[in-house]
């Protein structure tokens, strides 16, 4: 018995006339007037289903095959034949159809073959991967994830697993989740009545990481080229279509590099990712273009063929002021760019991705490298047409005296950064890096409107275990 | 200026006589009687250093080059020449040596070029990647991680990111970390005085995952072949060389598969991983064989050439009882195998990896498939010479009625598993999977004795932020 994935059958791995077995789930069954059934079977391997032609001379035709409904699992053996139907080159003339699993009460099957709202599908997250949309999202997500690793591995980067549980707040910024084994019903107390964190698992307060950047810099200063790709967390109660409490982030860090090298890496990286999706998931992209976002393929094709514009923040501010546009948020040197400003720059002014570089130091983090002008730091944002900021990065401050002055200025405790400062004391080198929100990248590639629809397990009141 | 990684120079990417630049850190400097210096430079790209020959006619020879110490960062441009020294084919005749970063007070440099204990190096985790041992560990870890993805991707599996924060305890087993944003100093209370978890971030109690298995089964039942590779957590206060609170786990799950297919996948997978290390990291393995564990290369070579023995648990018990060995833990049908038993089976009895299959149901988890004998389940452990259990897996119970009876028997609340049960109600299929502790795999490949030395960031009292 030669078992093939449906993607293999459809791409022609089995010769016409050969016998193969496929295993999967029924998407639809259609009966012809001639008394045979056409069963569309999917197994997750590609967007398309395989059409199984089941004739009434099958032993279990009347008792079983004619009763198949969406969601039933089957194992089908048959002959690969040319398809007369359109949209597929081959189909399977069944010689045996085994029903592995029925659908209990087909009328109430939660993922029946009809249009469901995405809101509803989040409530049945355990079944939504069987739908066209979420099968496609899963494959695109996988394709992008593999491309992330392939890009870095082929360029001599090492994947570093930075800590998920941390006692360190990467930027003094994001709201964090506490991690603890203390018994809430019976909290240990210090003599003065405060919660005694020394009795917690790690002997002090611990949280979920908001970024692996500071940690991964330690590896950058030894291995030269490293990256993280792992879960990060923000305890911000923003229940919007753009925020997640748990998401994956990619953070490369390169030694012997300045901001220009960082921007080049970001450009190469993003183009590589979207090139991979265009090359490897044309089937799923065609679906997204048809049902979700008509422009998504063209957007990616334009993207990978563009050369990114580099623009100083100061020049960007001037361009915005000269634009004659009336923005909701005022434009002035020293203020951060808002989404409307970013979109003007990349979509209207330049018409290509833009790397805005050298931001005012007052609006950026302590670890970004001070420029000689005294008022900007070597930070960058990559803006993409249709989405705005997609990457944020910077050259890091590698000079201990400058870093220390900045920590003091911002009221940060130097002792908390003893190991980070040590890196500047011992063989420091110029280095730079950036962060890419992985889910944002999937949103960009697919046009899916809600970021909770590109993660495998959306949290909902019903799906609290996810 | 042609910049190359040291690995590229050493493998001959630059022709003899050509000019290249390398950038890295000084491991050692040795001065010859003839008044020149030999500087060994590493950049993380491979185990070996590149020998830089610096002659006194360099402009900064006396002022800088002659003062280089371990840990200084340099950029060196020079001519690639044949090396007369042994152990290297080429060396770099420097025409320019730029010192990028000095070492402040070389006498107290924490990672000076001498033998340090691993305990000490855990306290300077930010600098230990610069040492021979931890550079090698980092490269082997990366090599294994890439091999994990390559193995599954090339076989049509999809990488699924299962939730880190969960409201679900995968096996009712492991001790878990609580995740919360409640203010410990001011806990919300219900009218009866209990902690009011409904006011927490997710509206109920949440923890860090101990396994992605149950979650990933939902994707297996749609995509057919899936795997997780991500961080998992155990809040067990076992401060041993074999336990970690945070570690990475690989969990494939295959549909249309039974326990025999699961064992085959485990065998193929492990051999693929170790084959990759042998092929790609021979330099680092040579170091581990020389300094850490003399048998490590031979162990891996034997492993990848072995065919794994399959053995029923019941037969394993009989073999142990017939062995004539006196074990610390008694051997009897129904008891779990202890490490000493596992090592006897794989090292003495069989001399190859062994897959022990079909364990007593009383000692196994609720989701494992009941065998027809009524007393065993389709569980397996893969035992490897030199380490014991390295993989644990099972065929999952795909029959709703059998699963329900088991949940009842174990006193588990069926409502908590509503979505897991749904999968058995709608197009259920036989499926199976296993878990591989990623750090255990690195321990096996390198012979490193303490599992905290194969993770990038060991937690110590001093390194609490890791």
């Amino acid at each position: 018995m030669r078992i093939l994935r449906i993607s293999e059958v459809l791409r022609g791995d089995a010769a016409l006339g050969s016998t193969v077995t496929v295993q999967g789930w029924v998407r639809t069954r259609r009966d012809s007037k001639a008394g045979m059934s056409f069963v569309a079977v999917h197994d997750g391997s590609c967007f398309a289903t395989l059409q199984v032609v089941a004739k009434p001379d099958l032993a279990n035709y009347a008792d079983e095959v004619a009763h198949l409904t969406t969601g039933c699992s089957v194992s089908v053996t048959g002959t690969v034949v040319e398809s007369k139907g359109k949209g597929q080159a081959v189909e399977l003339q069944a010689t045996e159809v085994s029903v592995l699993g029925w659908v209990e009460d087909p009328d109430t099957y939660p993922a029946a073959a009809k249009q469901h709202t995405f809101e509803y599908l989040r409530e049945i997250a355990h079944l939504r991967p069987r739908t066209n949309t979420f099968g496609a999202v899963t494959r695109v997500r996988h394709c992008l994830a593999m491309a992330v690793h392939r890009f870095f591995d082929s360029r001599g980067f090492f994947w570093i697993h930075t800590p998920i549980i941390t006692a360190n707040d990467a930027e003094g910024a994001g709201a964090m989740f506490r991690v603890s084994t203390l018994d809430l019903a019976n909290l240990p107390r210090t003599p003065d009545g405060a919660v005694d964190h020394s009795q917690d698992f790690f002997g002090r307060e611990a949280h979920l990481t908001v970024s692996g950047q500071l940690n991964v810099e330690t590896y950058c200063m030894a291995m030269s080229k490293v990256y993280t790709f792992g879960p990060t967390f923000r305890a911000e109660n923003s229940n919007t279509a753009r925020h997640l409490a748990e998401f994956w982030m990619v953070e490369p860090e390169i030694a012997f590099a300045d901001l220009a090298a960082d921007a080049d890496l970001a450009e190469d990286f993003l183009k590589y990712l979207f090139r991979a999706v265009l090359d490897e998931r044309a089937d799923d992209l065609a679906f997204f273009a048809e049902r979700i976002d008509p422009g998504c393929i063209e957007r990616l094709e334009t993207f990978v063929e563009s050369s990114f514009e580099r623009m100083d923040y100061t020049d960007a501010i001037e361009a915005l002021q000269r634009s004659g546009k009336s923005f909701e948020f005022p434009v002035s040197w020293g203020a951060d760019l808002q989404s409307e400003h970013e979109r003007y720059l990349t979509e209207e002014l330049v018409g290509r991705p833009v790397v805005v570089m050298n931001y005012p130091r007052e609006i950026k983090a302590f670890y970004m490298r001070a420029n000689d002008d005294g008022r900007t730091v070597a930070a960058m944002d990559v803006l993409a047409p249709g989405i705005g900021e997609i990457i944020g990065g910077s050259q890091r401050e590698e000079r201990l005296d400058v870093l220390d002055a900045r920590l003091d200025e911002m009221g940060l405790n130097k002792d908390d950064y003893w190991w980070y400062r040590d890196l500047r004391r011992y063989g420091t080198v110029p280095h730079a890096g950036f962060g890419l929100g992985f889910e944002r990248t999937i949103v960009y590639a697919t046009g899916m409107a809600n970021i909770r629809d590109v993660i495998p397990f959306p949290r909902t009141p019903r799906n609290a275990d996810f």
Side-chain angles (χ1 to χ4, degrees), chain A:
Chain A
M1 189 169 70
R2 184 177 175 210
I3 302 177
L4 289 187
R5 300 293 292 271
I6 286 171
S7 59
E8 295 167 333
V9 176
L10 291 176
R11 78 180 175 207
D13 284 10
L16 290 176
S18 65
T19 300
V20 301
T21 298
V22 299
Q23 301 169 314
W25 290 266
V26 173
R27 180 146 284 141
T28 55
R29 192 199 82 239
R30 183 168 58 81
D31 300 327
S32 79
K33 287 177 195 145
M36 64 175 88
S37 297
F38 300 95
V39 185
V41 178
H42 67 95
D43 68 358
S45 60
C46 57
F47 184 82
T49 53
L50 177 65
Q51 173 153 294
V52 170
V53 183
K55 293 188 174 158
D57 55 1
L58 290 169
N60 62 341
Y61 182 83
D63 288 347
E64 297 196 321
V65 176
H67 299 282
L68 285 172
T69 59
T70 303
C72 290
S73 50
V74 291
S75 178
V76 181
T77 300
T79 310
V80 178
V81 298
E82 206 172 334
S83 178
K84 284 154 201 149
K86 61 177 174 182
Q88 69 233 350
V90 296
E91 60 190 29
L92 200 62
Q93 205 89 43
T95 51
E96 190 182 337
V97 176
S98 303
V99 183
L100 303 175
W102 291 98
V103 163
E104 190 183 295
D105 188 9
D107 292 341
T108 64
Y109 178 50
K114 59 174 184 181
Q115 284 278 56
H116 300 286
T117 66
F118 290 158
E119 287 73 17
Y120 167 76
L121 290 173
R122 272 176 231 133
E123 303 286 328
I124 55 155
H126 59 303
L127 296 172
R128 76 175 188 173
R130 296 188 186 180
T131 65
N132 276 328
T133 305
F134 291 94
V137 168
T138 303
R139 283 182 296 272
V140 168
R141 187 176 173 111
H142 173 79
C143 168
L144 282 166
M146 291 300 111
V148 166
H149 285 306
R150 223 166 43 231
F151 176 86
F152 288 122
D153 182 51
S154 67
R155 281 158 182 76
F157 286 68
F158 299 98
W159 186 20
I160 306 297
H161 297 123
T162 48
I164 307 301
I165 304 173
T166 176
N168 169 47
D169 177 350
E171 311 192 21
M176 299 176 88
F177 290 103
R178 175 193 309 281
V179 176
S180 169
T181 54
L182 292 179
D183 179 4
L184 290 187
N186 192 12
L187 286 173
R189 303 279 174 182
T190 59
D192 63 356
V195 175
D196 185 1
H197 292 292
S198 74
Q199 294 191 39
D200 208 341
F201 192 89
F202 298 108
R204 72 189 68 194
E205 288 193 85
H207 297 91
L208 293 180
T209 184
V210 298
S211 161
Q213 179 208 315
L214 298 191
N215 285 319
V216 91
E217 283 188 48
T218 68
Y219 275 81
C220 179
M221 299 288 232
M223 314 301 291
S224 304
K225 294 184 180 190
V226 294
Y227 68 108
T228 73
F229 184 14
T232 47
F233 305 86
R234 298 283 155 87
E236 285 153 13
N237 229 327
S238 310
N239 210 352
T240 77
R242 298 186 55 194
H243 287 84
L244 292 169
E246 175 178 335
F247 56 98
W248 282 61
M249 188 141 71
V250 183
E251 297 178 288
E253 190 79 23
I254 45 176
F256 315 104
D258 59 12
L259 190 64
D262 205 30
D264 291 347
L265 181 70
E267 177 169 355
D268 290 348
F269 179 51
L270 286 173
K271 288 179 177 174
Y272 185 92
L273 294 187
F274 294 134
R275 180 82 265 160
V277 183
L278 286 165
D279 288 349
E280 299 166 27
R281 294 269 49 112
D283 59 344
D284 295 316
L285 286 185
F287 168 79
F288 289 116
E290 190 190 324
R291 294 294 186 88
I292 305 291
D293 178 0
C296 73
I297 295 176
E298 198 191 328
R299 182 170 66 233
L300 295 183
E301 283 175 343
T302 306
F303 190 101
V304 301
E305 280 150 25
S306 299
S307 107
F308 291 18
E309 178 81 11
R310 270 76 174 165
M311 186 186 289
D312 243 49
Y313 166 87
T314 301
D315 296 333
I317 292 294
E318 279 173 20
L320 288 162
Q321 285 169 334
R322 272 200 317 265
S323 69
K325 308 277 287 190
S326 71
F327 295 109
E328 189 187 344
F329 293 90
V331 175
S332 73
W333 200 98
D336 215 346
L337 298 182
Q338 300 298 321
S339 184
E340 57 177 342
H341 309 143
E342 295 174 345
R343 298 191 68 152
Y344 168 77
L345 292 172
T346 185
E347 291 168 22
E348 297 187 47
L349 182 68
V350 177
R352 288 175 289 124
V354 177
V355 189
V356 179
M357 303 166 90
N358 302 311
Y359 281 76
R361 66 197 294 270
E362 272 68 27
I363 58 173
K364 290 292 177 180
F366 76 88
Y367 52 75
M368 299 188 179
R369 191 179 196 277
N371 287 327
D372 291 342
D373 63 13
R375 59 180 207 153
T376 62
V377 290
M380 68 168 188
D381 281 343
V382 180
L383 315 179
I387 197 166
E389 185 200 325
I390 189 162
I391 272 181
S394 68
Q395 183 173 347
R396 319 309 187 184
E397 183 55 77
E398 89 280 15
R399 298 159 298 185
L400 182 61
D401 55 339
V402 183
L403 179 74
D404 278 353
R406 183 82 166 130
L407 287 169
D408 286 342
E409 182 185 297
M410 296 180 75
L412 294 166
N413 183 353
K414 286 209 282 282
D415 290 345
D416 290 346
Y417 298 93
W418 67 270
W419 53 272
Y420 194 72
R421 295 175 62 241
D422 255 14
L423 297 174
R424 277 78 183 156
R425 183 172 280 145
Y426 304 124
T428 191
V429 297
H431 61 295
F434 61 78
L436 173 73
F438 186 56
E439 282 77 11
R440 287 268 284 166
T441 314
I442 306 172
V443 163
Y444 196 71
T446 60
M448 293 289 287
N450 192 316
I451 201 161
R452 285 188 291 163
D453 292 328
V454 303
I455 58 171
F457 298 91
R459 285 183 182 83
T460 71
R462 189 155 177 256
N463 278 320
D465 45 292
F466 292 151

